[in-house]
Amino acid sequence: MIETADAEPEYDDTAIRFLEALWGDGYLSPGGPEEVDRVVEGLPLEGKTILDIGCGAGGITLHLVAHHGAALATGFDVERPVIEAARQRAVMRGLQDRVRFVQAPPGPLPFTDAAFDVVFSKDALLHVPDKDALFAEIFRVLKPGGVFAASNWMISHDGEPSAEMKAYVAAEGLSFAMASPVRYAAAMRRAGFADVTVRDRNPWYREVAREELARLKGPLYQPAVAAVGVAYVDKNIRTWEAMQKVLDSGEHRPTHLLGWKPVG
């Protein structure tokens, strides 16, 4: 997180429309509100201030306010198109007084020390190459006693990716900087987090992705084509086929992370 230039958008209006058709209004990652609820299960969110890193189109940020009782949720993303979509969605939902959306270039988080009770992220941290700098920043903006909870796409190891994984990442065409659960947990502990826990979600998403691919090839195909065009949908079908291979092999490891900032 040391770059300072504005990020080149990877999630433009076409990507937003396509992913929302697949995953739900305001959601740019799989599982919808149910998976968000699993990430924060058992955490005290009511009346808290929450930072949602990589908030995308804002569905999760709004969910944390509307369904988990957060006093104020701040969605942060480096890409302008998704932030604009999130702000429009907040107004449409009548939640603009309890959420705010901030866009800034990659780099240090644009927030003061100890600003949030909770830091959340859903499948966005894989875009950040420097995991140590990332977690140092997350730790900095958390209040003492605060909690970090996230879901993230990971790779099962930190060695050379397989040919299948390289083919999948190339098919995505996104700035993936995938690392293993072991590496993520170690970076969290180096930043100062305590009681770090890791929960593997590969078995869940392996089957969900299979269902997503079947929908893309079946009932969702024509509506998606109407929204974003044949070429875009066909490209993503090939991407899902490549992803399914590394999910089935176990090399692609969606994972939940949890850690606490000590009080003293």
Side-chain angles (χ1 to χ4, degrees):
M1 297 182 69
I2 58 174
E3 305 160 82
T4 56
D6 259 5
E8 185 69 25
E10 295 183 346
Y11 296 88
D12 58 13
D13 290 341
T14 302
I16 293 170
R17 290 198 305 273
F18 174 78
L19 294 175
E20 287 184 340
L22 188 62
W23 289 328
D25 185 40
Y27 286 82
L28 305 185
S29 66
E34 294 81 12
E35 184 66 358
V36 173
D37 293 344
R38 293 185 193 101
V39 175
V40 300
E41 187 176 6
L43 297 181
L45 302 184
E46 189 166 355
K48 303 295 187 180
T49 56
I50 300 179
L51 172 64
D52 178 11
I53 295 178
C55 66
I60 292 173
T61 315
L62 296 171
H63 180 74
L64 293 171
V65 166
H67 294 275
H68 289 277
L72 176 67
T74 299
F76 169 73
D77 208 288
V78 299
E79 297 198 2
R80 201 172 301 276
V82 294
I83 287 293
E84 291 173 354
R87 288 170 177 160
Q88 292 171 8
R89 183 165 285 104
V91 172
M92 289 189 297
R93 296 272 301 274
L95 293 172
Q96 64 269 31
D97 292 336
R98 294 176 61 194
V99 298
R100 61 174 179 151
F101 291 99
V102 177
Q103 185 268 335
L109 294 170
F111 307 106
T112 58
D113 295 355
F116 301 97
D117 299 302
V118 180
V119 174
F120 176 92
S121 186
K122 178 73 165 63
D123 303 333
L125 305 183
L126 76 163
H127 297 294
V128 181
D130 190 338
K131 310 304 181 188
D132 285 311
L134 167 67
F135 285 110
E137 278 295 285
I138 292 172
F139 191 84
R140 178 183 66 80
V141 301
L142 264 177
K143 296 177 182 178
V147 63
F148 166 73
S151 171
N152 198 49
W153 285 13
M154 304 187 192
I155 189 170
S156 61
H157 58 89
D158 289 307
E160 182 74 9
S162 69
E164 291 78 12
M165 178 60 82
K166 290 179 180 178
Y168 161 59
V169 172
E172 284 280 14
L174 300 172
S175 57
F176 282 6
M178 296 176 85
S180 71
V182 170
R183 183 176 161 199
Y184 269 92
M188 288 178 66
R189 293 187 180 101
R190 281 193 293 270
F193 283 98
D195 299 322
V196 173
T197 59
V198 174
R199 179 164 57 165
D200 181 24
R201 295 295 285 158
N202 171 277
W204 165 77
Y205 191 51
R206 188 169 64 233
E207 299 310 316
V208 168
R210 206 180 313 279
E211 295 168 4
E212 291 168 352
L213 181 57
R215 288 170 56 213
L216 280 174
K217 289 182 173 181
L220 191 58
Y221 186 80
Q222 288 302 333
V225 165
V228 299
V230 170
Y232 196 90
V233 176
D234 288 350
K235 171 192 175 295
N236 277 279
I237 286 174
R238 293 191 294 272
T239 299
W240 252 253
E241 290 172 339
M243 179 174 66
Q244 192 67 57
K245 292 178 182 178
V246 289
L247 284 166
D248 288 345
S249 73
E251 191 172 15
H252 185 353
R253 309 302 300 190
T255 300
H256 291 183
L257 296 168
L258 185 70
W260 298 82
K261 182 171 182 175
V263 175

